[in-house]
Amino acid sequence: MGKEVDVAEQGEFSARDYHDPPPAPLIDAEELTKWSFFRAIIAEFIASVLFLYIGVQTVIGYESQSDPANGADPCSGVGLLGIAWAFGGMIFVLVYCTAGISGGHINPAVTFGLFLARKVSLIRAVLYMVAQCLGAICGVGLAKAFQKSHYVRYGGGANQVATGYSNGVALAAEIIGTFVLVYTVFSATDPKRSARDSHVPVLAPLPIGFAVFMVHLATIPIDGTGINPARSFGAAVIYNKDKTWDDHWIFWVGPFIGAAIAAFYHQYILRAGAIKALSSFRSNPRS
């Protein structure tokens, strides 16, 4: 009986102790006066540089090591599994390193989803995306500088729809893959989960990195896996081939749609945001 009372009291305390953080303002000009804001933008830029550098280097290295023209065994090298681990592992590392500074977005689709959920302001969202894209360009540029002899020959790590797949299939793969990623981001960073399950140590970057890893396993054969418009944009700018640019729209439209669906699903269905808003309206009829 005593234990039941303790559990009940603990549950009442947790529910009473938790409050949703207020939504971010649409325009927050005051951010522009804070060093912490610019520090976050720098963190997003550097993280994107490192992410693209490691990812593209892994792709080019695998293509080179498994090229029969070089007398290599087609089954040698890290394989698709290794490429997926490189991208997923780097996201785990970089989110862990930057989460306390910028939130560890490293992806315009993630930033877009969080903006729709009112987690970040419009100014922060736009400047994050700019920093992510510039960082991606620099990261791929570094990879090309270190792999000049192999970069163009092995595709430069650029995203494009593979032979045998239609644009519609690739678009659907990007939408679903980005939904998985952004849904995981919302779930892993949900403050209500942290308050409710504070006794369970959850390392948010781990499930986020695993989501990237799993999506790569599923979609590398289709389009090389985008789910990150900055990753696709940086590779397209440096590789700069017609086929890559022809398919490039898929790697912006798909991730943004997937992110929007994930934001709506988490905020208005799982977290019942629409019901809360309706209840608030009914309880304040004059407002």
Side-chain angles (χ1 to χ4, degrees):
M1 181 66 178
K3 291 184 177 179
E4 293 177 358
V5 172
D6 290 342
V7 171
E9 289 179 351
Q10 183 179 359
E12 291 175 2
F13 175 77
S14 297
R16 185 169 60 247
D17 189 56
Y18 169 74
H19 297 284
D20 272 318
L26 179 62
I27 304 294
D28 187 4
E30 187 178 348
E31 286 185 314
L32 298 174
T33 65
K34 297 178 179 178
W35 163 242
S36 60
F37 176 67
F38 294 99
R39 182 181 62 183
I41 293 173
I42 294 171
E44 288 291 309
F45 172 80
I46 296 299
S48 297
V49 171
L50 298 175
F51 177 57
L52 267 295
Y53 169 72
I54 295 296
V56 172
Q57 283 280 63
T58 303
V59 171
I60 295 174
Y62 163 66
E63 295 289 348
S64 174
Q65 291 171 347
S66 60
D67 186 358
N70 295 333
D73 182 353
C75 296
S76 64
V78 297
L80 296 185
L81 183 65
I83 293 173
W85 270 121
F87 282 95
M90 277 305 291
I91 287 297
F92 167 65
V93 170
L94 294 171
V95 171
Y96 179 82
C97 292
T98 61
I101 301 172
S102 66
H105 297 192
I106 323 172
N107 184 336
V110 171
T111 301
F112 180 66
L114 293 173
F115 166 71
L116 293 180
R118 299 292 301 279
K119 305 293 186 183
V120 297
S121 70
L122 178 61
I123 293 175
R124 183 176 291 264
V126 170
L127 292 183
Y128 270 24
M129 291 181 191
V130 171
Q132 291 155 0
C133 289
L134 292 177
I137 293 171
C138 293
V140 180
L142 279 177
K144 181 178 181 180
F146 289 169
Q147 295 269 16
K148 285 184 178 179
S149 60
H150 294 150
Y151 180 82
V152 175
R153 179 176 180 180
Y154 296 113
N159 290 119
Q160 56 188 36
V161 181
T163 303
Y165 293 95
S166 67
N167 286 352
V169 170
L171 179 63
E174 289 297 309
I175 292 173
I176 296 171
T178 308
F179 173 86
V180 171
L181 170 59
V182 178
Y183 174 38
T184 303
V185 170
F186 274 107
S187 298
T189 60
D190 189 342
K192 186 174 183 180
R193 175 191 290 259
S194 300
R196 184 189 62 210
D197 301 333
S198 58
H199 61 288
V200 180
V202 178
L203 189 60
L206 184 59
I208 296 171
F210 260 106
V212 173
F213 167 67
M214 297 303 294
V215 171
H216 273 75
L217 287 182
T219 59
I220 284 176
I222 299 174
D223 59 13
T225 307
I227 67 170
N228 183 333
R231 175 258 186 271
S232 302
F233 180 70
V237 168
I238 301 300
Y239 188 56
N240 197 28
K241 299 294 182 182
D242 289 342
K243 170 63 175 171
T244 301
W245 286 117
D246 289 343
D247 295 344
H248 188 62
W249 66 271
I250 294 171
F251 303 100
W252 283 90
V253 175
F256 274 34
I257 292 175
I261 295 172
F264 176 83
Y265 176 63
H266 185 269
Q267 293 296 105
Y268 293 100
I269 296 180
L270 297 186
R271 293 296 306 278
I275 296 175
K276 292 177 183 177
L278 181 60
S279 299
S280 176
F281 175 78
R282 286 178 175 174
S283 63
N284 298 281
R286 294 182 181 179
S287 57

